[in-house]
Amino acid sequence: MVESTGGEAGDGGAAEVLDRPLPEGVRRRVVQIVSDGFGGLTVGELPAQLRQYARFTPSRRAKFAGNAMAAAVESDTLFRQRIAERFREAQPELAGALEAGSPPPAADPLDVAAAAYVLRPTGWVKLVAAAGEEAQRADAERVDEETRAELDRLRAQLAEAQRQTRTETERLRTELDAARREVDSVQRKLRSALSDVKRGEAAVRKAQAEIDGARAEAQAQVSAAESETRRLKARLGETEAALEASRRAAREGRSVEDMRVRLLLDTVLDAAQGLRRELALPPVSVRPADSVDAVEPGKMTPKDIAARALHEHDPAILDQLLALPQAHLVVDGYNVTKTGYPTMPLEKQRLRLLGSLSQLAAQTGAEVTCVFDGAELAAPVLLAPPRGVRVLFSKAGVTADELIRQLVRAEPPGRPVIVVSTDREVADGVAKAGARPVASVMLLKRLSRG
């Protein structure tokens, strides 16, 4: 309820009272008028509740302070009069026409009602009420027009929907007929498939019965085979145990001395045969004429005999030694490799030497043993000895030289043992034990010939 107080200067309609709420359209126009005149006032001229909006633009004031400005105009007469003065300055023609009691007929009723509410001329309540009624009529007409337009639109949509429904119904009927025909065909196929399935199930049951019978028979055979396998394994275990016992008894029945005697006997026999071949002894007794010193035609001359003398490092000496019956070649491995190819890694040194020794063993048929010093190893060696070569590493605390001397002492007296080492102490020691020392250079020269 907006009520003006009397006795204020320049307020001709102060005694008039608006007995209904301010129409919403008029209220919006009043807020816009207040917002436009707001900027022409100082902060001191503004009501306390509106001073925080003094720096806002008119549009922002209308947006954020609309309710506060409407309440201030309604309750604060002085503030309303100041806004009215700003309105007279901004729109003098409309203000003058309202105060003269003859508003412009072409003016918007809402603008006229808002201006009359701020200026409060005589008869302003009628102007506000008339503007409200006019706005309501305009809204009603607008609503009627919108309602008619909406009704026309809905009718058009309904007609279109009915047309589409008829079309869709016809299409669905056609599809339904086709679906019924397809269902009939599918049902016939289904009945045929069910018959096939039943026949298949019968065949499966028959096959399953056959499989079960075959499985039971196979299981019986497997059980019999497993029983026979267990029996054979038991017999095999007994046989292996008996064989191991017999081997153990045979090993225990032999001694090292027996092996040395047998090896020495083989050596003597081979040496005798080799000596017979070397001396070319006839199968019968020597005739007196054969003892006469002479040179037969085509035979060796004295010069040839003198030429048979060999240098001490000639590899032919090694060939002659290895040609002796039951010859045993013992090689000081690292002594030879570090003499021949010292810059190579130890692993490659070993592989190169053992490969060459394998070829030498195959060529001469001699027993070959290669000894390496175990102290040179940083880890266990995974090495497959080549064919014809025995590879030994000395144990912890035992040098390769000592292992070589043990090998020489293990051989029976009279067997040709050749030890390859440049170490003078090794050479002297094996020579005292009856072995023939050979320099590493001689073996390297022999191996280089291939």
Side-chain angles (χ1 to χ4, degrees), residues 34-345:
V34 175
S35 177
D36 293 339
F38 199 100
L41 301 178
T42 63
V43 176
E45 294 174 337
L46 296 174
Q49 68 270 26
L50 296 181
R51 291 175 182 175
Q52 56 180 328
Y53 306 107
R55 296 183 180 276
F56 282 30
T57 61
S59 60
R60 291 191 65 199
R61 280 195 296 268
K63 179 178 180 181
F64 296 103
N67 294 332
M69 289 189 294
V73 169
E74 182 178 357
S75 60
D76 192 336
T77 303
L78 182 58
F79 175 65
R80 178 181 56 75
Q81 291 175 349
R82 289 171 178 167
I83 294 299
E85 290 298 327
R86 299 296 177 273
F87 181 78
R88 290 189 185 96
E89 293 175 0
Q91 299 190 35
E93 294 180 0
L94 178 57
L98 287 175
E99 289 176 350
S102 56
D108 188 343
L110 296 179
D111 291 338
V112 172
Y117 179 80
V118 173
L119 295 174
R120 302 291 174 92
T122 302
W124 68 272
V125 173
K126 292 181 181 180
L127 293 175
V128 172
E133 293 173 357
E134 181 66 25
Q136 288 178 355
R137 284 194 299 273
D139 290 341
E141 292 175 357
R142 179 176 56 79
V143 169
D144 291 341
E145 291 178 357
E146 292 177 354
T147 302
R148 284 193 295 275
E150 182 67 16
L151 183 58
D152 293 340
R153 185 180 66 80
L154 291 175
R155 285 174 178 169
Q157 289 181 353
L158 177 59
E160 179 64 21
Q162 289 175 345
R163 185 187 64 78
Q164 291 180 357
T165 301
R166 288 192 296 271
T167 304
E168 186 68 16
T169 301
E170 293 297 330
R171 184 182 65 79
L172 290 177
R173 283 175 182 163
T174 304
E175 291 181 357
L176 180 59
D177 294 339
R180 285 174 179 171
R181 290 192 295 273
E182 185 175 357
V183 167
D184 293 339
S185 175
V186 170
Q187 286 178 347
R188 288 193 298 272
K189 292 180 180 178
L190 179 59
R191 287 192 291 271
S192 176
L194 287 175
S195 300
D196 295 339
V197 168
K198 289 179 180 178
R199 288 193 295 272
E201 288 177 349
V204 167
R205 286 193 295 271
K206 181 179 178 181
Q208 186 65 38
E210 294 176 354
I211 291 172
D212 292 340
R215 185 174 297 163
E217 183 179 356
Q219 186 65 31
Q221 293 178 357
V222 168
S223 300
E226 289 178 350
S227 300
E228 183 65 17
T229 301
R230 287 193 294 270
R231 187 180 65 80
L232 292 176
K233 284 183 177 178
R235 291 186 59 186
L236 179 61
E238 295 173 358
T239 304
E240 289 179 347
L243 178 61
E244 182 62 25
S246 106
R247 286 178 178 174
R248 190 180 303 109
R251 284 197 299 269
E252 291 174 355
R254 292 197 302 266
S255 64
V256 177
E257 291 299 328
D258 292 340
M259 288 187 290
R260 294 177 66 188
V261 169
R262 181 172 179 179
L263 183 58
L264 180 58
L265 179 59
D266 292 342
T267 302
V268 171
L269 291 175
D270 290 343
Q273 293 176 1
L275 184 60
R276 178 181 292 277
R277 287 193 300 270
E278 182 69 22
L279 298 177
L281 295 178
V284 296
S285 59
V286 180
R287 297 178 177 86
D290 294 330
S291 63
V292 177
D293 186 15
V295 177
E296 297 181 7
K299 300 293 183 179
M300 188 177 294
T301 64
K303 285 186 178 181
D304 296 329
I305 296 174
R308 293 182 65 182
L310 298 175
H311 189 271
E312 63 176 349
H313 294 311
D314 193 334
I317 296 176
L318 184 59
D319 288 333
Q320 294 178 2
L321 293 174
L322 295 177
L324 295 175
Q326 297 293 330
H328 185 185
L329 178 65
V330 181
V331 180
D332 187 352
Y334 287 137
N335 186 278
V336 175
T337 60
K338 292 181 179 180
T339 301
Y341 23 87
T343 59
M344 296 177 63

Side-chain angles (χ1 to χ4, degrees), residues 20 131 254 319 398 424 429:
R20 67 186 67 182
R254 292 197 302 266
D319 288 333
V398 179
R424 176 53 53 190

